[in-house]
Amino acid sequence: MRSYNFKKYNMGGLRIGPGGISPFIKAMLIANAAVFILQQFFPRMDYVFGLIPARFFADFPNLLYQPFTYMFLHGGIGHIFFNMFALWMFGTEIEYAWGTKTFGRFYLISGLAGAILTLIVYPSQPIPMIGASGAIYGVLVAYWIMFPNRLLYFMFLLPIKVKWAIPGFMLLGFLFAGANVAHMAHLGGAIWGLVYLKSDWRLNWFNRKLKNLRYKRQEAKLNKKVHETEEIMSRVDSILDKINEVGLENISKADRKFLEEASQWSREKDKG
Protein backbone atom coordinates (compact mmCIF):
# COMPACT_ATOMS: atom_id res chain seq x y z
CA MET A 1 0.00 0.00 0.00
CA ARG A 2 0.99 3.66 -0.27
CA SER A 3 2.98 5.33 2.47
CA TYR A 4 1.34 8.36 4.03
CA ASN A 5 2.99 11.40 5.59
CA PHE A 6 0.99 13.19 8.25
CA LYS A 7 3.83 15.39 9.55
CA LYS A 8 2.22 18.51 8.10
CA TYR A 9 -1.15 17.66 9.52
CA ASN A 10 -2.31 18.05 13.11
CA MET A 11 -4.38 14.96 13.88
CA GLY A 12 -4.96 15.71 17.58
CA GLY A 13 -7.72 17.58 19.38
CA LEU A 14 -11.44 17.92 18.92
CA ARG A 15 -12.48 19.51 15.63
CA ILE A 16 -15.37 19.67 13.19
CA GLY A 17 -14.31 18.33 9.83
CA PRO A 18 -10.72 17.73 8.74
CA GLY A 19 -9.36 21.10 9.79
CA GLY A 20 -7.77 23.81 7.64
CA ILE A 21 -8.13 23.90 3.87
CA SER A 22 -5.20 22.32 2.02
CA PRO A 23 -3.62 24.13 -0.98
CA PHE A 24 -5.09 22.21 -3.93
CA ILE A 25 -8.54 22.02 -2.36
CA LYS A 26 -8.41 25.76 -1.70
CA ALA A 27 -7.61 26.33 -5.38
CA MET A 28 -10.51 24.06 -6.41
CA LEU A 29 -12.96 25.83 -4.10
CA ILE A 30 -11.99 29.20 -5.56
CA ALA A 31 -12.02 27.97 -9.16
CA ASN A 32 -15.37 26.21 -8.88
CA ALA A 33 -16.96 29.16 -7.06
CA ALA A 34 -15.65 31.60 -9.69
CA VAL A 35 -16.97 29.46 -12.56
CA PHE A 36 -20.33 29.06 -10.78
CA ILE A 37 -20.66 32.84 -10.52
CA LEU A 38 -19.86 33.18 -14.22
CA GLN A 39 -22.53 30.60 -15.00
CA GLN A 40 -25.16 32.87 -13.48
CA PHE A 41 -24.28 35.55 -16.04
CA PHE A 42 -23.51 33.22 -18.96
CA PRO A 43 -25.86 30.20 -18.77
CA ARG A 44 -24.70 29.00 -22.20
CA MET A 45 -21.41 27.98 -20.56
CA ASP A 46 -23.01 24.60 -19.80
CA TYR A 47 -23.31 23.90 -23.53
CA VAL A 48 -19.84 25.16 -24.35
CA PHE A 49 -17.78 23.72 -21.50
CA GLY A 50 -20.03 20.91 -20.25
CA LEU A 51 -19.44 17.42 -21.63
CA ILE A 52 -21.95 16.65 -24.40
CA PRO A 53 -21.05 13.18 -25.75
CA ALA A 54 -23.02 13.54 -29.00
CA ARG A 55 -21.30 16.84 -29.85
CA PHE A 56 -17.95 15.60 -28.55
CA PHE A 57 -17.87 12.79 -31.11
CA ALA A 58 -19.58 14.76 -33.90
CA ASP A 59 -17.03 17.59 -33.66
CA PHE A 60 -14.03 15.44 -32.70
CA PRO A 61 -11.31 16.50 -31.97
CA ASN A 62 -12.46 20.12 -31.53
CA LEU A 63 -14.05 19.56 -28.10
CA LEU A 64 -11.24 17.69 -26.36
CA TYR A 65 -11.35 20.26 -23.56
CA GLN A 66 -14.87 19.21 -22.45
CA PRO A 67 -13.82 16.08 -20.43
CA PHE A 68 -11.76 18.46 -18.31
CA THR A 69 -13.87 21.62 -18.14
CA TYR A 70 -17.16 19.87 -17.30
CA MET A 71 -16.00 19.19 -13.75
CA PHE A 72 -15.80 22.91 -12.94
CA LEU A 73 -19.46 23.59 -13.81
CA HIS A 74 -22.44 23.02 -11.50
CA GLY A 75 -26.20 22.99 -11.86
CA GLY A 76 -27.18 24.87 -8.71
CA ILE A 77 -26.15 26.06 -5.29
CA GLY A 78 -26.90 22.69 -3.69
CA HIS A 79 -24.89 20.88 -6.37
CA ILE A 80 -21.72 22.92 -5.90
CA PHE A 81 -22.10 23.12 -2.11
CA PHE A 82 -22.27 19.37 -1.53
CA ASN A 83 -19.48 18.63 -4.01
CA MET A 84 -17.14 21.19 -2.50
CA PHE A 85 -18.11 20.23 1.04
CA ALA A 86 -17.29 16.58 0.28
CA LEU A 87 -13.99 17.61 -1.34
CA TRP A 88 -12.98 19.55 1.78
CA MET A 89 -14.36 16.97 4.20
CA PHE A 90 -12.73 13.90 2.65
CA GLY A 91 -9.94 15.27 0.50
CA THR A 92 -8.03 17.39 3.01
CA GLU A 93 -6.37 14.53 4.87
CA ILE A 94 -5.56 12.77 1.61
CA GLU A 95 -3.86 15.85 0.19
CA TYR A 96 -1.77 16.31 3.33
CA ALA A 97 -0.89 12.60 3.22
CA TRP A 98 0.05 12.39 -0.45
CA GLY A 99 1.20 15.91 -1.16
CA THR A 100 -0.50 18.58 -3.26
CA LYS A 101 0.82 17.49 -6.68
CA THR A 102 -0.07 13.83 -6.27
CA PHE A 103 -3.51 14.57 -4.87
CA GLY A 104 -4.23 17.19 -7.53
CA ARG A 105 -3.29 14.78 -10.29
CA PHE A 106 -5.44 12.06 -8.70
CA TYR A 107 -8.44 14.38 -8.39
CA LEU A 108 -8.30 15.57 -12.01
CA ILE A 109 -7.78 12.07 -13.41
CA SER A 110 -10.76 10.87 -11.36
CA GLY A 111 -12.86 13.50 -13.09
CA LEU A 112 -11.46 12.50 -16.49
CA ALA A 113 -12.22 8.84 -15.74
CA GLY A 114 -15.84 9.81 -15.09
CA ALA A 115 -15.96 11.64 -18.41
CA ILE A 116 -14.42 8.72 -20.31
CA LEU A 117 -16.87 6.18 -18.90
CA THR A 118 -19.78 8.48 -19.75
CA LEU A 119 -18.52 8.83 -23.32
CA ILE A 120 -18.23 5.06 -23.62
CA VAL A 121 -21.65 4.21 -22.17
CA TYR A 122 -23.66 7.16 -23.53
CA PRO A 123 -21.91 8.25 -26.76
CA SER A 124 -25.08 9.77 -28.22
CA GLN A 125 -26.18 11.74 -25.13
CA PRO A 126 -27.31 15.20 -26.38
CA ILE A 127 -27.47 17.05 -23.04
CA PRO A 128 -24.46 18.45 -21.17
CA MET A 129 -22.98 16.67 -18.19
CA ILE A 130 -21.58 19.03 -15.56
CA GLY A 131 -20.23 18.75 -12.03
CA ALA A 132 -17.21 17.61 -10.04
CA SER A 133 -18.95 14.48 -8.76
CA GLY A 134 -16.77 12.09 -10.78
CA ALA A 135 -13.65 13.53 -9.17
CA ILE A 136 -15.38 13.59 -5.77
CA TYR A 137 -16.23 9.89 -6.01
CA GLY A 138 -12.58 9.11 -6.64
CA VAL A 139 -11.73 11.03 -3.46
CA LEU A 140 -14.44 9.19 -1.52
CA VAL A 141 -13.06 5.80 -2.56
CA ALA A 142 -9.53 6.87 -1.61
CA TYR A 143 -10.75 7.99 1.81
CA TRP A 144 -12.71 4.76 2.22
CA ILE A 145 -9.57 2.68 1.57
CA MET A 146 -7.22 4.85 3.63
CA PHE A 147 -9.39 5.44 6.71
CA PRO A 148 -11.92 2.56 6.89
CA ASN A 149 -12.33 2.69 10.67
CA ARG A 150 -12.66 6.47 10.98
CA LEU A 151 -16.03 7.47 12.47
CA LEU A 152 -18.39 9.80 10.62
CA TYR A 153 -21.24 11.34 12.57
CA PHE A 154 -24.41 11.15 10.48
CA MET A 155 -26.56 14.21 11.21
CA PHE A 156 -23.84 15.07 13.78
CA LEU A 157 -25.28 12.38 16.05
CA LEU A 158 -25.04 8.81 14.73
CA PRO A 159 -21.46 7.45 14.54
CA ILE A 160 -20.82 5.26 11.47
CA LYS A 161 -17.50 3.83 10.36
CA VAL A 162 -16.21 5.06 7.02
CA LYS A 163 -16.06 1.52 5.62
CA TRP A 164 -19.87 1.38 5.90
CA ALA A 165 -20.81 5.04 5.52
CA ILE A 166 -19.21 5.76 2.14
CA PRO A 167 -20.53 2.65 0.32
CA GLY A 168 -23.94 3.39 1.85
CA PHE A 169 -23.79 6.97 0.65
CA MET A 170 -22.88 5.83 -2.87
CA LEU A 171 -25.65 3.24 -2.94
CA LEU A 172 -28.26 5.75 -1.80
CA GLY A 173 -27.04 8.18 -4.41
CA PHE A 174 -27.43 5.57 -7.13
CA LEU A 175 -30.89 4.45 -6.01
CA PHE A 176 -32.55 7.75 -5.16
CA ALA A 177 -30.66 10.55 -6.89
CA GLY A 178 -32.92 10.57 -9.97
CA ALA A 179 -32.57 10.23 -13.72
CA ASN A 180 -30.62 13.46 -14.30
CA VAL A 181 -27.64 12.35 -12.20
CA ALA A 182 -24.45 11.38 -14.08
CA HIS A 183 -24.11 7.91 -12.61
CA MET A 184 -21.44 6.87 -15.12
CA ALA A 185 -19.28 9.82 -14.09
CA HIS A 186 -19.63 8.74 -10.47
CA LEU A 187 -18.80 5.16 -11.33
CA GLY A 188 -15.83 6.14 -13.51
CA GLY A 189 -14.31 8.27 -10.74
CA ALA A 190 -14.91 5.55 -8.16
CA ILE A 191 -13.33 2.87 -10.37
CA TRP A 192 -10.26 5.04 -10.92
CA GLY A 193 -9.94 5.63 -7.18
CA LEU A 194 -10.15 1.91 -6.51
CA VAL A 195 -7.65 1.01 -9.23
CA TYR A 196 -5.22 3.72 -8.16
CA LEU A 197 -5.20 2.73 -4.49
CA LYS A 198 -5.39 -1.05 -4.89
CA SER A 199 -2.98 -1.42 -7.79
CA ASP A 200 -0.17 0.40 -6.03
CA TRP A 201 1.29 -2.74 -4.44
CA ARG A 202 1.28 -4.41 -7.85
CA LEU A 203 3.06 -1.43 -9.37
CA ASN A 204 5.63 -1.50 -6.58
CA TRP A 205 6.13 -5.22 -7.17
CA PHE A 206 6.56 -4.59 -10.90
CA ASN A 207 9.04 -1.76 -10.25
CA ARG A 208 11.05 -3.97 -7.91
CA LYS A 209 11.14 -6.74 -10.50
CA LEU A 210 12.18 -4.25 -13.19
CA LYS A 211 14.96 -2.83 -10.99
CA ASN A 212 16.16 -6.36 -10.16
CA LEU A 213 16.19 -7.23 -13.85
CA ARG A 214 18.19 -4.09 -14.66
CA TYR A 215 20.58 -4.84 -11.81
CA LYS A 216 21.09 -8.41 -13.03
CA ARG A 217 21.74 -7.18 -16.57
CA GLN A 218 24.25 -4.61 -15.33
CA GLU A 219 25.88 -7.22 -13.15
CA ALA A 220 26.10 -9.63 -16.09
CA LYS A 221 27.67 -6.91 -18.29
CA LEU A 222 30.16 -6.07 -15.55
CA ASN A 223 31.07 -9.72 -15.03
CA LYS A 224 31.51 -10.11 -18.78
CA LYS A 225 33.85 -7.10 -18.91
CA VAL A 226 35.82 -8.41 -15.94
CA HIS A 227 36.17 -11.80 -17.62
CA GLU A 228 37.25 -10.20 -20.90
CA THR A 229 39.78 -8.04 -19.04
CA GLU A 230 41.22 -11.07 -17.27
CA GLU A 231 41.56 -12.93 -20.58
CA ILE A 232 43.28 -9.94 -22.24
CA MET A 233 45.71 -9.45 -19.35
CA SER A 234 46.43 -13.15 -19.22
CA ARG A 235 47.38 -13.23 -22.89
CA VAL A 236 49.40 -10.01 -22.54
CA ASP A 237 51.36 -11.58 -19.67
CA SER A 238 51.94 -14.67 -21.79
CA ILE A 239 53.26 -12.59 -24.71
CA LEU A 240 55.50 -10.55 -22.41
CA ASP A 241 56.97 -13.76 -20.99
CA LYS A 242 57.63 -14.92 -24.54
CA ILE A 243 59.37 -11.60 -25.32
CA ASN A 244 61.62 -12.08 -22.31
CA GLU A 245 62.58 -15.52 -23.61
CA VAL A 246 63.03 -14.96 -27.37
CA GLY A 247 63.07 -11.18 -27.83
CA LEU A 248 60.53 -8.79 -29.32
CA GLU A 249 61.69 -9.36 -32.91
CA ASN A 250 60.98 -13.10 -32.69
CA ILE A 251 57.30 -13.03 -31.63
CA SER A 252 54.59 -13.59 -34.24
CA LYS A 253 52.72 -10.84 -36.12
CA ALA A 254 49.53 -11.97 -34.39
CA ASP A 255 51.12 -11.40 -30.97
CA ARG A 256 52.42 -7.96 -32.06
CA LYS A 257 48.93 -6.96 -33.31
CA PHE A 258 47.33 -8.20 -30.08
CA LEU A 259 49.75 -6.12 -27.97
CA GLU A 260 48.92 -3.00 -30.02
CA GLU A 261 45.17 -3.63 -29.64
CA ALA A 262 45.56 -4.31 -25.92
CA SER A 263 47.52 -1.06 -25.52
CA GLN A 264 44.82 0.91 -27.36
CA TRP A 265 42.08 -0.77 -25.31
CA SER A 266 43.92 0.16 -22.10
CA ARG A 267 44.19 3.83 -23.15
CA GLU A 268 40.48 4.03 -24.04
CA LYS A 269 39.59 2.37 -20.74
CA ASP A 270 41.62 4.95 -18.80
CA LYS A 271 39.89 7.80 -20.67
CA GLY A 272 36.46 6.31 -20.00
Side-chain angles (χ1 to χ4, degrees):
M1 292 295 291
R2 299 182 183 274
S3 59
Y4 307 121
N5 177 17
F6 291 97
K7 291 182 179 179
K8 295 182 180 179
Y9 189 71
N10 180 13
M11 298 294 291
L14 179 64
R15 66 185 189 277
I16 298 175
I21 302 175
S22 51
F24 178 80
I25 290 177
K26 182 179 181 180
M28 288 299 98
L29 294 179
I30 294 172
N32 280 271
V35 172
F36 183 71
I37 292 171
L38 288 175
Q39 284 180 264
Q40 311 315 304
F41 296 96
F42 305 101
R44 291 292 300 176
M45 288 179 64
D46 293 6
Y47 294 89
V48 177
F49 297 104
L51 177 61
I52 307 175
R55 280 188 56 204
F56 179 84
F57 288 114
D59 296 342
F60 189 85
N62 297 325
L63 303 177
L64 285 175
Y65 59 86
Q66 287 188 349
F68 175 78
T69 56
Y70 88 98
M71 68 181 85
F72 292 89
L73 302 165
H74 289 86
I77 190 67
H79 191 198
I80 188 173
F81 172 78
F82 284 109
N83 275 345
M84 295 300 100
F85 177 78
L87 176 59
W88 166 71
M89 187 74 181
F90 299 103
T92 300
E93 290 186 68
I94 302 175
E95 180 175 348
Y96 279 121
W98 291 357
T100 295
K101 289 184 179 180
T102 300
F103 177 75
R105 185 166 55 246
F106 170 80
Y107 174 86
L108 295 175
I109 294 177
S110 294
L112 291 174
I116 291 170
L117 188 60
T118 300
L119 290 170
I120 293 172
V121 177
Y122 299 120
S124 59
Q125 178 177 307
I127 59 176
M129 180 181 75
I130 59 175
S133 300
I136 298 301
Y137 268 61
V139 172
L140 289 175
V141 169
Y143 194 90
W144 173 63
I145 293 173
M146 292 173 63
F147 309 106
N149 294 314
R150 183 73 55 80
L151 288 177
L152 297 179
Y153 287 86
F154 181 69
M155 300 299 291
F156 299 100
L157 294 173
L158 182 63
I160 305 175
K161 285 189 175 182
V162 166
K163 63 182 177 182
W164 306 118
I166 288 181
F169 168 76
M170 292 180 173
L171 181 61
L172 290 174
F174 177 76
L175 294 176
F176 301 108
N180 294 327
V181 174
H183 293 298
M184 290 302 106
H186 297 175
L187 182 60
I191 290 174
W192 165 248
L194 186 66
V195 169
Y196 183 81
L197 270 293
K198 286 297 187 180
S199 65
D200 183 67
W201 68 270
R202 297 185 182 89
L203 293 176
N204 285 338
W205 175 87
F206 177 77
N207 287 333
R208 288 195 300 270
K209 289 293 184 181
L210 186 60
K211 288 180 180 179
N212 288 338
L213 181 60
R214 288 175 179 172
Y215 174 77
K216 289 180 179 178
R217 287 179 176 176
Q218 292 175 351
E219 186 180 30
K221 288 180 179 179
L222 181 61
N223 289 336
K224 183 179 180 180
K225 288 181 179 180
V226 170
H227 182 68
E228 290 176 350
T229 300
E230 290 177 347
E231 288 185 342
I232 291 172
M233 296 309 299
S234 176
R235 184 172 176 185
V236 168
D237 289 341
S238 177
I239 295 173
L240 292 176
D241 290 339
K242 187 184 297 184
I243 291 173
N244 289 332
E245 293 177 1
V246 300
L248 178 62
E249 65 279 2
N250 294 318
I251 64 174
S252 65
K253 291 183 178 180
D255 287 341
R256 289 174 182 271
K257 183 178 180 182
F258 183 83
L259 284 177
E260 292 175 358
E261 291 176 348
S263 178
Q264 183 179 358
W265 170 82
S266 179
R267 288 193 297 270
E268 292 177 353
K269 182 181 177 182
D270 292 338
K271 290 180 182 179

